[in-house]
Structures are given as structure tokens and as C-alpha cells.
Amino acid sequence: MDWVSFASVFWKISLAILLLALCALLGYVCATLGSIRNSLESIRNTLKTSAGVIDRELTTLLGDVDQTVREVNTEMPQILRNISRITASVDEISRTEIQPTIHNVRQMTETVDRNLAKLDRIVNTAADFSQETVRHARYYRDQLSMPITDTISAWEGFKRGFEAFNQSRKSGKSAHQSDV
């Protein structure tokens, strides 16, 4: 065998292996593309189904919203009239009852403040008077207690002296009568 025929066989075998690898690669790419196509088809079907569900739900929801808006629009003038009446009533109540009450509370607060100031002065005067009275009472007590104490002591002394005198006189009479 010569080298040319050997190279020709080697080249043909290499080309065959290369073609087989290329066919395997092409088969793999086709299988992958088929799998991707199936996945895309599945995603497309899911999106179609989701779009249908969303479309149905959204249509229902929009119908409900439209119905609610129509009901609100028909009732809105009545609601606005009610709100206007309530606002007018609150304003009237504020003007006729709350504001006079607040005015009365302010006047009462001012009167109470003035009276508290007067009461504070009266309490201070009474406290001063009480302290002054206690001070004078102590003074007169101290002034009266000395003469009374002195008078009581003098009386006690006089009484004891008188009793001693009577005692000695009785003892003197009984001693005198025993001598006789």
C-alpha cells in the first residue's frame, strides 16, 4: 500500500467521522429547536388561556365598575344635597349653640379667675388675721397666766397658812383644855 491510498482512506474515514459528528450535532440542534418550539407553543397556549381568563374577568370587572359609576352618578346629586344640608346644620349648630357656649365658658373662666384672685386675697387676709389672732392670744395668755398663777399661788399660800393657823389654834385649845 502506498502512501497515497493510505492518505485517501484516512481522509475518507476522517470525512465520514466528521459527517457523522455533524449529523449528530444537526440532530441535537433539531431536537433542541423542536423542544424550544414545543415550549414556545406551550407558552403561547398558556398566554392565550391567561389572556382569555383576564379578558373575561376584566370585562366582568369593568362592567361592575361601570354599573357602580352609573349608580354613583345617579345618587351623587342626592348625596351632595345631603352633604350641603349637613354642612348647613353643623354651621347653624355652631352659630347658635357652640359659639355662645364658648363665649359663656370664656366669661365664666374670666369670672372664676377674678373670683379666685379675690378668694386668694381673702384667704391670705384670713391667714394673716389668724396668725395675728394666735399671736395676740399667746400674748394675753402669757399676760393673764402670770397674775392668775400668782393669784392661785397666793390663795394656796393663804389657804395653807389659814389651815395651819386653825390647826395650831385647835392644838393650842386642846392643849390648853388638857391643862385645865
Side-chain angles (χ1 to χ4, degrees), residues 29-45:
V29 168
C30 286
T32 303
L33 286 176
S35 172
I36 290 173
R37 187 180 71 77
N38 289 339
S39 295
L40 289 175
E41 187 68 28
S42 173
I43 290 171
R44 186 173 60 90
N45 289 338

Side-chain angles (χ1 to χ4, degrees), residues 89-109:
S89 296
V90 168
D91 187 45
E92 180 66 23
I93 290 170
S94 173
R95 205 169 15 83
T96 60
E97 294 180 23
I98 295 174
Q99 289 177 356
T101 302
I102 289 173
H103 179 71
N104 290 341
V105 168
R106 283 184 184 146
Q107 285 179 336
M108 287 172 42
T109 302

Side-chain angles (χ1 to χ4, degrees), residues 40-136:
L40 289 175
E41 187 68 28
S42 173
I43 290 171
R44 186 173 60 90
N45 289 338
T46 303
L47 287 175
K48 263 186 183 180
T49 306
S50 298
V53 169
I54 290 172
D55 187 43
R56 275 192 315 258
E57 294 297 320
L58 195 56
T59 302
T60 304
L61 181 63
L62 287 175
D64 291 345
V65 167
D66 187 49
Q67 179 66 26
T68 304
V69 167
R70 273 192 248 120
E71 288 174 8
V72 167
N73 282 339
T74 59
E75 294 176 11
M76 186 59 74
Q78 181 63 32
I79 292 171
L80 290 175
R81 280 191 298 273
N82 289 343
I83 290 173
S84 295
R85 273 186 268 156
I86 290 171
T87 303
S89 296
V90 168
D91 187 45
E92 180 66 23
I93 290 170
S94 173
R95 205 169 15 83
T96 60
E97 294 180 23
I98 295 174
Q99 289 177 356
T101 302
I102 289 173
H103 179 71
N104 290 341
V105 168
R106 283 184 184 146
Q107 285 179 336
M108 287 172 42
T109 302
E110 291 170 1
T111 304
V112 167
D113 285 345
R114 281 194 306 270
N115 289 338
L116 282 177
K118 289 177 185 176
L119 183 63
D120 190 40
R121 285 195 305 273
I122 290 170
V123 167
N124 286 338
T125 302
D128 292 343
F129 177 75
S130 175
Q131 289 174 354
E132 194 64 27
T133 303
V134 168
R135 190 174 61 76
H136 285 298

